[in-house]
Amino acid sequence: MQLKKKITLIFIAIIVSCGVKQTRTSLTSGDYDAAIQNCVSKLQGNKTAKGKQDYVYMLEEAFAKAKERDLREVALLFKDANPNNLERIFNKYQQLNNRQELIRPLLPLRFLKEGRDAKFMLDDYSEQLISSKNALSKHLYLTSVAALMTNQKMSCRKAYDDLVYLNEINPGYKDVSKLINDAKHKGTDYVYVATKNATNVVIPYRLENDLLDFSTLGLNDKWTSYHSKKQKEIAYDYGITIHFRDIVISPERINEKQFDREKVIKDGVKKLLDSRGREVKDSLGKVIYVDNMKTIRVSIYEFSQIKSAQVTAKVDYSDNKTNQLLQTFPLSSTFVFQNVFARYKGDRRACEESYFPNFDRREIPFPTNEQMVYDCGEDLKAKLKEIISRTSIGR
C-alpha cells in the first residue's frame, strides 16, 4: 500500500510540474492571458496549498505585464488619432476590465514564504469603457449611414455587419434597428426565377410549383434571395429562366418473354442400393439411407410494363441591370416507370428465391403523362440546385 501511495504522489508531482512548465512557457513567450487563465484554473481549488505557490507568483507577474502592455497599446492608439482604432481601444478596455474580473474572486492571494499578499493593481475602467463605447458607436453609426447612401452592395453589407455589432455593444442606439433592415435590403442580391414552356406538352402545375419552391432547395443565403413571385417594391438584380424545350413521353409498352429453369433438389431419403439393386447395410446390419435427389423444372412467363418521360430544358442567368445574358446551363431529366410481374408453370422452386416476388405482382395501370412529367421533378430540382449552387452569379 505504501508503494502504491508513493507512486500516486510521484504521478501527481509530474502532473503539477507539467502544468507549471506549460504556464511558465506561456508567460515567457508573451501569451499573458493564456498564463493567467491557467493560473486561475489551478488556483480555483485550494489556493492556499503549498503546491499552488508557483501559480500565485506567475499570476502576479502575468497580470502586471498584460496590464502594462495593454495600457501602452491604448496610449499609442490614442496618439495615432485614427478613428478606425476606436474598436481596438474599446476592446482593450474590455480586456483590461475582464481580466480583473477573472482574478477578483481569488483575492487575496498569499505568498506563504514571504508572508505577504500578491499585488494586483485593480483600476476602475468604467469611465473609459463608456467613453470608448460611445466614440465607437458614433463612428460606426456615421460610417454606416454614409455607406448606405452609396447603395453599393459590398458597402451596404459591411454597414450591416457594423450596425449589428453596434446594436450588440450599445442596444437601442438611435435608429440602428431600422438601419439594419435597410442595410440587409440594400446589400442583398435579389434573383427572380421564372419558367417558360416552349414544348407542346402542358407542364404540370405541381412541377412548376415544386421547381420554384426555393424553401425546399435551401438556396437562400445571407446575401442572396430567390423569388418565384415578383414583389413590386424590389428591383431584381438577376434573373433565372428555366426554358422547357422538349418533353418526350414514350408509348406504353408491355414486353413479354418466356424462359425455363431447372434445379436438382433433395426430395426426402431413400435406401442405398448397390450395383445389383441390393440394400447396403452398415457394420451393425442397419440399412443405409441417402438423400433422394430429383430434378424439377419451371417455365416462366415474364411481363414488363415500361413507360418513360424525358424533360429537356436550359437555365439562363441574366443581369437585369445590364440586360445581359451571363450564363446558360443545360438541364434534363429522365424518369422510367417499370413494373415486372410473372407467371409460371411447373415447380417455382426451380428458379432463384430472389425472383419469387415477381410471381406475387400483378399488372397495374400506367401513370398518366402528367404524372410521368411530374415524376421527373425531383431529379430536375436536384440538378437545378447544383447549377445554382456552383455559379457565382447573384452571390
Side-chain angles (χ1 to χ4, degrees), residues 168-184:
E168 289 173 358
I169 65 171
N170 203 347
Y173 187 86
K174 296 187 177 182
D175 57 342
V176 166
S177 295
K178 177 184 177 300
L179 291 178
I180 288 175
N181 292 331
D182 291 345
K184 186 70 169 68

Side-chain angles (χ1 to χ4, degrees), residues 247-287:
I247 297 177
V248 179
I249 301 173
S250 74
E252 299 173 357
R253 303 192 310 274
I254 299 181
N255 299 328
E256 180 181 350
K257 67 178 180 178
Q258 187 267 328
F259 54 92
D260 299 320
R261 293 284 186 270
E262 70 175 33
K263 184 189 294 184
V264 178
I265 66 169
K266 175 184 175 182
D267 185 27
V269 295
K270 64 180 180 180
K271 293 178 181 179
L272 180 62
L273 303 177
D274 61 17
S275 58
R276 297 181 181 181
R278 294 176 300 184
E279 296 176 347
V280 178
K281 298 180 181 180
D282 61 16
S283 58
L284 298 176
K286 293 183 178 180
V287 176

Side-chain angles (χ1 to χ4, degrees), residues 107-159:
L107 302 181
L109 290 170
R110 192 79 175 165
F111 289 130
L112 300 180
K113 288 184 179 180
E114 301 176 22
R116 68 174 180 86
D117 289 340
K119 294 180 181 179
F120 297 96
M121 300 298 293
L122 305 184
D123 296 319
D124 182 4
Y125 295 107
S126 57
E127 184 176 336
Q128 291 92 328
L129 280 168
I130 293 172
S131 62
S132 62
K133 181 182 72 173
N134 288 338
L136 175 59
S137 298
K138 182 179 179 180
H139 172 67
L140 291 173
Y141 182 85
L142 293 177
T143 54
S144 296
V145 169
L148 292 178
M149 293 176 66
T150 67
N151 287 324
Q152 294 179 358
K153 297 284 184 185
M154 300 310 296
S155 297
C156 292
R157 292 176 186 183
K158 184 181 184 305

Side-chain angles (χ1 to χ4, degrees), residues 193-196 203-219 226-228 240-244 247 311 313-315 331 333 373-374 376-385 388:
V193 188
T195 60
K196 288 188 177 180
I203 304 294
Y205 182 71
R206 288 187 302 161
L207 176 58
E208 282 195 86
N209 277 354
D210 279 0
L211 282 175
L212 300 179
D213 184 2
F214 288 93
S215 63
T216 62
L217 291 179
L219 287 170
Y226 297 88
H227 293 178
S228 59
I240 297 177
T241 305
I242 306 166
H243 297 270
F244 289 99
I247 297 177
V311 178
K314 71 168 183 171
V315 179
L331 180 67
S333 176
V373 175
Y374 177 74
C376 290
E378 285 304 313
D379 185 48
L380 284 172
K381 283 177 67 175
K383 291 179 178 177
L384 179 61
K385 179 177 181 178
I388 296 176

Side-chain angles (χ1 to χ4, degrees), residues 308-325:
S308 64
Q310 184 179 47
V311 178
T312 304
K314 71 168 183 171
V315 179
D316 287 344
Y317 267 97
S318 57
D319 187 328
N320 290 346
K321 288 169 287 189
T322 61
N323 290 322
Q324 287 184 325
L325 178 64

